Amino acid sequence: MLDGMIKRIGLSPKLMLGYAGVLVFMMGEGLEQGWLSPYLINKGLTIQEAALLFSVYGLFAAISAWFSGVLAEIFGARRTMLTGFILFIIGSVFFLSFGLPSNNLSIMIPTYALRGLGYPLFAYGFLVWVAYEAPPKKLGSAVGIFWFVYSGGLSVLGVLYSSIVLPYLGEIHTLWSALAFVAIGAMIALLLNRGESHAGKDSHQEKTSIKYVLKGITIAFENPKIGLGGIVRTINTSAAYGFVVFMPMYMMEIGFTRANWLQMYAALWTMNIIFNLIFGIISDRLGWRNVVMWFGCAGCAITTLMFYYIPHFLGPNYLLTVISAGLFGICLAAFVPLSAIMPSLAPENKGAAMSVLNLGAGLSTFVGPAVVGLFIGSLGSGGVIWIYTGLYLFAGALMKFITLPKALPETTKIVYTTAENNVRPRVNNNEGGLIVNQQSEH
C-alpha cells in the first residue's frame, strides 16, 4: 500500500526502504512510551524525578536532533543514520545493565540520556534525505509519509507490541527486545538500501564542517522565520511527551485501568499517523501555513482541554475519552507541513533549516516533561494542561509571521547536481531543470 502511494504521488521508490527502516527502528525506540513512567514511579521514583529523567533524555535528544541536519549535509544521511544506530545500542545496553537496575538517578540519567542521542540521528537524518529526494511540489506529501512511519513505529506499533508482550516478558526483557527492532530497522534502511543517500558531502560543496555546523544555529537569526518555525515545532509535541509522565496516573485515579490508558494512547497515535498522510497531502492544496495554524495550533489547544476535562467531569467514560484522545492525535498531525515549510524558507541551506526543525522536535521531548516537573507540584495536573493550551495558542500567533516566499520566476529553475551520496540543488537561470512552484501564503 505504502509503495503504491509513493509511486502515485511521484516519489522515488528508493525511499521505500528508508521509510520501512524508520518504521521498524522507531518501534524499538517507542515501545516503553506508554508505561515506563508509572513503572519507575512504582519502583520508588516521584513524579518529579521521573519528569527529570525524561526531560534530560529529551534535552540530549534535542541536541542530537539539531546535529542531525548539518551532519547529514556534511557526512551524508547514511553515515549519520549509522551513527544514531550505534549510539542507541550503546546507550540501551548501559541503561538496562547499570542504570535501570540501580534505581539511582545519578546512574539512570546519564545512561538514558546516552540512549537519547541515537534515534534523532537515525530518523531525522533520513528526513533530510527526504527533503532532498522529494520533488518540491510533493514535499508536503513526502514528509507526511515520513511522519506516518515515524509516529506509526514510535507510538502505535511499539506501544501495541508492549501491550501484548509485557505480561509474558516483563518490563526489563521487553526493553531488551527493543534492540532487535532497531537492528532490523537499521539493516533495512542502511544495508538493503545500497543506493545513494541524497544529502551529504559533495566534493564540490563549499561547506566546511565547522562553518556548516554553526550554520545550523546562525540560520535561525539570519532568517527569523526559521527560528519561529523551530519554536512552533518545539510546542508541537510537547504536550504529547508531557502526557506520558502524569496522564497514566491521572486516568487511573479517575477509574481507568492501565490497559485502558494504553488503548487511549494507541488511539491517539493511530489517528495521528493516518492524518499525517492526509494533512501532508491536503496541505499541498490548502496551504502549508493554513493547515499548521488552524488545524494544528488551534485544534490542539481545544483537544488538549477535551482530553483532560471530559474524564474529569464525566468520570471514566471510555468512549468519549478515546474519541478526545483521537481528536488530539489528528490535530497533532496538522503540524506535518512544518517539515515542508522549513526547507522551503532556505532552499540553498535545507540541511541547516532542517536542523532547526529537528532541534525543535527534540526540544519538545524536553519541554513537555519539564513543564510537568516544574508545575505539577504547585498547579496540579489541571494547571499543566492549561500551560500546554496556552503554548498552542502562542504557536498559532507565531505562525502568522511565518510566510513563505512567492513563487519563483518561470526562468528560475532548480537543477539537481548529483554526486556520490549527495544530491544538492542550485539555482540556475540558463540550464534546464525542475521548475519549483512554491506556495505563497501571505
PDB file of all heavy atoms in Angstrom, residues 4 19 37 91 112 157 177 208 212 228 238 240 282 298 306 333 335 344 355 369 371 407 416 424:
ATOM      1  N   GLY A   4       2.745   1.709  -3.286  1.00  0.00           N
ATOM      2  CA  GLY A   4       1.887   2.241  -4.336  1.00  0.00           C
ATOM      3  C   GLY A   4       1.603   3.710  -4.145  1.00  0.00           C
ATOM      4  O   GLY A   4       1.560   4.479  -5.103  1.00  0.00           O
ATOM      5  N   TYR A  19      11.830   4.520   4.433  1.00  0.00           N
ATOM      6  CA  TYR A  19      10.614   4.644   5.232  1.00  0.00           C
ATOM      7  C   TYR A  19      10.374   3.388   6.070  1.00  0.00           C
ATOM      8  O   TYR A  19      10.034   3.469   7.260  1.00  0.00           O
ATOM      9  CB  TYR A  19       9.404   4.863   4.320  1.00  0.00           C
ATOM     10  CG  TYR A  19       9.281   6.260   3.736  1.00  0.00           C
ATOM     11  CD1 TYR A  19       9.127   6.453   2.368  1.00  0.00           C
ATOM     12  CD2 TYR A  19       9.281   7.382   4.556  1.00  0.00           C
ATOM     13  CE1 TYR A  19       8.994   7.726   1.826  1.00  0.00           C
ATOM     14  CE2 TYR A  19       9.143   8.655   4.031  1.00  0.00           C
ATOM     15  CZ  TYR A  19       9.003   8.827   2.662  1.00  0.00           C
ATOM     16  OH  TYR A  19       8.873  10.082   2.129  1.00  0.00           O
ATOM     17  N   SER A  37       7.050   5.459  32.697  1.00  0.00           N
ATOM     18  CA  SER A  37       6.922   6.405  33.806  1.00  0.00           C
ATOM     19  C   SER A  37       6.202   5.791  35.011  1.00  0.00           C
ATOM     20  O   SER A  37       6.725   5.827  36.139  1.00  0.00           O
ATOM     21  CB  SER A  37       6.207   7.679  33.354  1.00  0.00           C
ATOM     22  OG  SER A  37       6.010   8.567  34.422  1.00  0.00           O
ATOM     23  N   GLY A  91      23.809   3.128  24.348  1.00  0.00           N
ATOM     24  CA  GLY A  91      23.047   3.730  25.432  1.00  0.00           C
ATOM     25  C   GLY A  91      22.062   2.751  26.054  1.00  0.00           C
ATOM     26  O   GLY A  91      21.895   2.721  27.282  1.00  0.00           O
ATOM     27  N   TYR A 112      20.454   6.814  30.316  1.00  0.00           N
ATOM     28  CA  TYR A 112      19.252   7.016  29.498  1.00  0.00           C
ATOM     29  C   TYR A 112      19.458   8.163  28.511  1.00  0.00           C
ATOM     30  O   TYR A 112      18.980   8.114  27.377  1.00  0.00           O
ATOM     31  CB  TYR A 112      18.062   7.292  30.403  1.00  0.00           C
ATOM     32  CG  TYR A 112      16.712   7.082  29.749  1.00  0.00           C
ATOM     33  CD1 TYR A 112      16.437   5.924  29.034  1.00  0.00           C
ATOM     34  CD2 TYR A 112      15.710   8.038  29.867  1.00  0.00           C
ATOM     35  CE1 TYR A 112      15.204   5.724  28.444  1.00  0.00           C
ATOM     36  CE2 TYR A 112      14.463   7.851  29.290  1.00  0.00           C
ATOM     37  CZ  TYR A 112      14.212   6.688  28.581  1.00  0.00           C
ATOM     38  OH  TYR A 112      12.977   6.495  27.994  1.00  0.00           O
ATOM     39  N   LEU A 157       2.758   1.004  16.851  1.00  0.00           N
ATOM     40  CA  LEU A 157       3.205  -0.387  16.794  1.00  0.00           C
ATOM     41  C   LEU A 157       4.071  -0.752  17.995  1.00  0.00           C
ATOM     42  O   LEU A 157       3.957  -1.860  18.533  1.00  0.00           O
ATOM     43  CB  LEU A 157       3.967  -0.636  15.491  1.00  0.00           C
ATOM     44  CG  LEU A 157       3.144  -0.491  14.210  1.00  0.00           C
ATOM     45  CD1 LEU A 157       4.005  -0.780  12.984  1.00  0.00           C
ATOM     46  CD2 LEU A 157       1.930  -1.410  14.237  1.00  0.00           C
ATOM     47  N   SER A 177      14.202  -6.241  24.272  1.00  0.00           N
ATOM     48  CA  SER A 177      13.761  -6.646  22.929  1.00  0.00           C
ATOM     49  C   SER A 177      13.759  -5.479  21.951  1.00  0.00           C
ATOM     50  O   SER A 177      13.717  -5.679  20.737  1.00  0.00           O
ATOM     51  CB  SER A 177      12.362  -7.262  22.997  1.00  0.00           C
ATOM     52  OG  SER A 177      11.372  -6.301  23.342  1.00  0.00           O
ATOM     53  N   THR A 208      32.341  23.952   4.751  1.00  0.00           N
ATOM     54  CA  THR A 208      33.289  23.282   5.636  1.00  0.00           C
ATOM     55  C   THR A 208      32.547  22.797   6.866  1.00  0.00           C
ATOM     56  O   THR A 208      31.514  23.332   7.236  1.00  0.00           O
ATOM     57  CB  THR A 208      34.399  24.255   6.049  1.00  0.00           C
ATOM     58  OG1 THR A 208      33.817  25.336   6.783  1.00  0.00           O
ATOM     59  CG2 THR A 208      35.130  24.798   4.844  1.00  0.00           C
ATOM     60  N   TYR A 212      29.532  24.895   8.601  1.00  0.00           N
ATOM     61  CA  TYR A 212      28.159  24.485   8.350  1.00  0.00           C
ATOM     62  C   TYR A 212      27.459  24.010   9.615  1.00  0.00           C
ATOM     63  O   TYR A 212      26.249  24.143   9.745  1.00  0.00           O
ATOM     64  CB  TYR A 212      28.102  23.402   7.267  1.00  0.00           C
ATOM     65  CG  TYR A 212      26.733  23.367   6.642  1.00  0.00           C
ATOM     66  CD1 TYR A 212      26.319  24.409   5.819  1.00  0.00           C
ATOM     67  CD2 TYR A 212      25.840  22.339   6.908  1.00  0.00           C
ATOM     68  CE1 TYR A 212      25.048  24.422   5.263  1.00  0.00           C
ATOM     69  CE2 TYR A 212      24.573  22.335   6.360  1.00  0.00           C
ATOM     70  CZ  TYR A 212      24.185  23.383   5.535  1.00  0.00           C
ATOM     71  OH  TYR A 212      22.918  23.394   5.002  1.00  0.00           O
ATOM     72  N   LEU A 228      11.358  31.091  14.230  1.00  0.00           N
ATOM     73  CA  LEU A 228       9.984  30.971  14.707  1.00  0.00           C
ATOM     74  C   LEU A 228       9.429  29.578  14.426  1.00  0.00           C
ATOM     75  O   LEU A 228       8.711  29.004  15.255  1.00  0.00           O
ATOM     76  CB  LEU A 228       9.103  32.034  14.042  1.00  0.00           C
ATOM     77  CG  LEU A 228       9.403  33.492  14.387  1.00  0.00           C
ATOM     78  CD1 LEU A 228       8.460  34.419  13.633  1.00  0.00           C
ATOM     79  CD2 LEU A 228       9.287  33.734  15.887  1.00  0.00           C
ATOM     80  N   SER A 238       5.083  18.847  22.502  1.00  0.00           N
ATOM     81  CA  SER A 238       5.477  18.965  23.909  1.00  0.00           C
ATOM     82  C   SER A 238       4.417  18.370  24.833  1.00  0.00           C
ATOM     83  O   SER A 238       4.739  17.663  25.804  1.00  0.00           O
ATOM     84  CB  SER A 238       5.740  20.435  24.266  1.00  0.00           C
ATOM     85  OG  SER A 238       4.584  21.227  24.046  1.00  0.00           O
ATOM     86  N   ALA A 240       2.241  16.032  24.133  1.00  0.00           N
ATOM     87  CA  ALA A 240       2.201  14.583  23.972  1.00  0.00           C
ATOM     88  C   ALA A 240       3.291  13.908  24.796  1.00  0.00           C
ATOM     89  O   ALA A 240       3.067  12.854  25.414  1.00  0.00           O
ATOM     90  CB  ALA A 240       2.345  14.217  22.495  1.00  0.00           C
ATOM     91  N   ILE A 282      -3.259  17.087   1.757  1.00  0.00           N
ATOM     92  CA  ILE A 282      -4.165  18.218   1.568  1.00  0.00           C
ATOM     93  C   ILE A 282      -3.482  19.554   1.815  1.00  0.00           C
ATOM     94  O   ILE A 282      -3.947  20.588   1.314  1.00  0.00           O
ATOM     95  CB  ILE A 282      -5.422  18.091   2.451  1.00  0.00           C
ATOM     96  CG1 ILE A 282      -5.081  18.239   3.932  1.00  0.00           C
ATOM     97  CG2 ILE A 282      -6.149  16.792   2.182  1.00  0.00           C
ATOM     98  CD1 ILE A 282      -6.310  18.260   4.841  1.00  0.00           C
ATOM     99  N   ALA A 298      -4.639  25.784  16.714  1.00  0.00           N
ATOM    100  CA  ALA A 298      -5.959  25.987  17.315  1.00  0.00           C
ATOM    101  C   ALA A 298      -6.593  24.651  17.695  1.00  0.00           C
ATOM    102  O   ALA A 298      -7.204  24.519  18.769  1.00  0.00           O
ATOM    103  CB  ALA A 298      -6.864  26.749  16.352  1.00  0.00           C
ATOM    104  N   MET A 306     -10.066  19.046  25.960  1.00  0.00           N
ATOM    105  CA  MET A 306     -11.054  17.967  25.895  1.00  0.00           C
ATOM    106  C   MET A 306     -10.511  16.686  26.506  1.00  0.00           C
ATOM    107  O   MET A 306     -11.209  15.991  27.273  1.00  0.00           O
ATOM    108  CB  MET A 306     -11.454  17.722  24.442  1.00  0.00           C
ATOM    109  CG  MET A 306     -12.281  18.811  23.802  1.00  0.00           C
ATOM    110  SD  MET A 306     -12.585  18.471  22.040  1.00  0.00           S
ATOM    111  CE  MET A 306     -13.430  16.893  22.132  1.00  0.00           C
ATOM    112  N   ALA A 333      -1.190  15.940  13.973  1.00  0.00           N
ATOM    113  CA  ALA A 333      -0.731  15.643  12.614  1.00  0.00           C
ATOM    114  C   ALA A 333      -0.730  16.879  11.727  1.00  0.00           C
ATOM    115  O   ALA A 333      -0.015  16.917  10.719  1.00  0.00           O
ATOM    116  CB  ALA A 333      -1.606  14.554  11.992  1.00  0.00           C
ATOM    117  N   PHE A 335       0.610  19.576  12.138  1.00  0.00           N
ATOM    118  CA  PHE A 335       1.897  20.269  12.141  1.00  0.00           C
ATOM    119  C   PHE A 335       2.858  19.694  11.103  1.00  0.00           C
ATOM    120  O   PHE A 335       3.958  20.224  10.932  1.00  0.00           O
ATOM    121  CB  PHE A 335       2.549  20.179  13.526  1.00  0.00           C
ATOM    122  CG  PHE A 335       1.927  21.071  14.564  1.00  0.00           C
ATOM    123  CD1 PHE A 335       0.820  20.657  15.291  1.00  0.00           C
ATOM    124  CD2 PHE A 335       2.442  22.333  14.822  1.00  0.00           C
ATOM    125  CE1 PHE A 335       0.245  21.471  16.255  1.00  0.00           C
ATOM    126  CE2 PHE A 335       1.885  23.163  15.787  1.00  0.00           C
ATOM    127  CZ  PHE A 335       0.775  22.719  16.498  1.00  0.00           C
ATOM    128  N   SER A 344      11.789  25.056   2.571  1.00  0.00           N
ATOM    129  CA  SER A 344      11.376  25.997   1.531  1.00  0.00           C
ATOM    130  C   SER A 344      11.768  27.430   1.876  1.00  0.00           C
ATOM    131  O   SER A 344      11.883  28.272   0.984  1.00  0.00           O
ATOM    132  CB  SER A 344       9.860  25.911   1.320  1.00  0.00           C
ATOM    133  OG  SER A 344       9.479  24.626   0.904  1.00  0.00           O
ATOM    134  N   SER A 355      17.880  21.306  10.474  1.00  0.00           N
ATOM    135  CA  SER A 355      18.476  21.162  11.796  1.00  0.00           C
ATOM    136  C   SER A 355      17.697  21.955  12.835  1.00  0.00           C
ATOM    137  O   SER A 355      17.499  21.497  13.963  1.00  0.00           O
ATOM    138  CB  SER A 355      19.935  21.627  11.777  1.00  0.00           C
ATOM    139  OG  SER A 355      20.761  20.648  11.213  1.00  0.00           O
ATOM    140  N   PRO A 369       8.022  17.121  29.336  1.00  0.00           N
ATOM    141  CA  PRO A 369       8.208  16.632  30.710  1.00  0.00           C
ATOM    142  C   PRO A 369       8.665  17.715  31.675  1.00  0.00           C
ATOM    143  O   PRO A 369       8.332  17.676  32.868  1.00  0.00           O
ATOM    144  CB  PRO A 369       9.286  15.546  30.555  1.00  0.00           C
ATOM    145  CG  PRO A 369       9.201  15.119  29.128  1.00  0.00           C
ATOM    146  CD  PRO A 369       8.830  16.356  28.375  1.00  0.00           C
ATOM    147  N   VAL A 371       7.747  20.839  31.811  1.00  0.00           N
ATOM    148  CA  VAL A 371       6.559  21.565  32.286  1.00  0.00           C
ATOM    149  C   VAL A 371       5.903  20.794  33.427  1.00  0.00           C
ATOM    150  O   VAL A 371       5.480  21.377  34.431  1.00  0.00           O
ATOM    151  CB  VAL A 371       5.570  21.787  31.114  1.00  0.00           C
ATOM    152  CG1 VAL A 371       4.210  22.262  31.635  1.00  0.00           C
ATOM    153  CG2 VAL A 371       6.132  22.808  30.132  1.00  0.00           C
ATOM    154  N   ALA A 407       6.132  32.478  -5.466  1.00  0.00           N
ATOM    155  CA  ALA A 407       6.617  31.502  -6.440  1.00  0.00           C
ATOM    156  C   ALA A 407       7.818  32.058  -7.178  1.00  0.00           C
ATOM    157  O   ALA A 407       7.870  33.247  -7.513  1.00  0.00           O
ATOM    158  CB  ALA A 407       5.505  31.143  -7.435  1.00  0.00           C
ATOM    159  N   TYR A 416      19.323  19.728 -10.005  1.00  0.00           N
ATOM    160  CA  TYR A 416      19.883  18.834  -9.007  1.00  0.00           C
ATOM    161  C   TYR A 416      21.176  18.241  -9.545  1.00  0.00           C
ATOM    162  O   TYR A 416      21.185  17.467 -10.504  1.00  0.00           O
ATOM    163  CB  TYR A 416      18.895  17.724  -8.649  1.00  0.00           C
ATOM    164  CG  TYR A 416      17.802  18.223  -7.766  1.00  0.00           C
ATOM    165  CD1 TYR A 416      16.637  18.766  -8.296  1.00  0.00           C
ATOM    166  CD2 TYR A 416      17.940  18.193  -6.391  1.00  0.00           C
ATOM    167  CE1 TYR A 416      15.644  19.250  -7.462  1.00  0.00           C
ATOM    168  CE2 TYR A 416      16.946  18.678  -5.556  1.00  0.00           C
ATOM    169  CZ  TYR A 416      15.813  19.192  -6.098  1.00  0.00           C
ATOM    170  OH  TYR A 416      14.823  19.677  -5.279  1.00  0.00           O
ATOM    171  N   ARG A 424      22.231  17.841  -4.405  1.00  0.00           N
ATOM    172  CA  ARG A 424      22.039  19.169  -3.815  1.00  0.00           C
ATOM    173  C   ARG A 424      21.552  20.129  -4.892  1.00  0.00           C
ATOM    174  O   ARG A 424      21.940  20.045  -6.057  1.00  0.00           O
ATOM    175  CB  ARG A 424      23.333  19.693  -3.178  1.00  0.00           C
ATOM    176  CG  ARG A 424      24.501  19.819  -4.107  1.00  0.00           C
ATOM    177  CD  ARG A 424      25.762  20.186  -3.319  1.00  0.00           C
ATOM    178  NE  ARG A 424      25.660  21.493  -2.738  1.00  0.00           N
ATOM    179  CZ  ARG A 424      26.123  22.588  -3.355  1.00  0.00           C
ATOM    180  NH1 ARG A 424      26.670  22.520  -4.547  1.00  0.00           N
ATOM    181  NH2 ARG A 424      26.015  23.758  -2.772  1.00  0.00           N
TER     182      ARG A 424
END
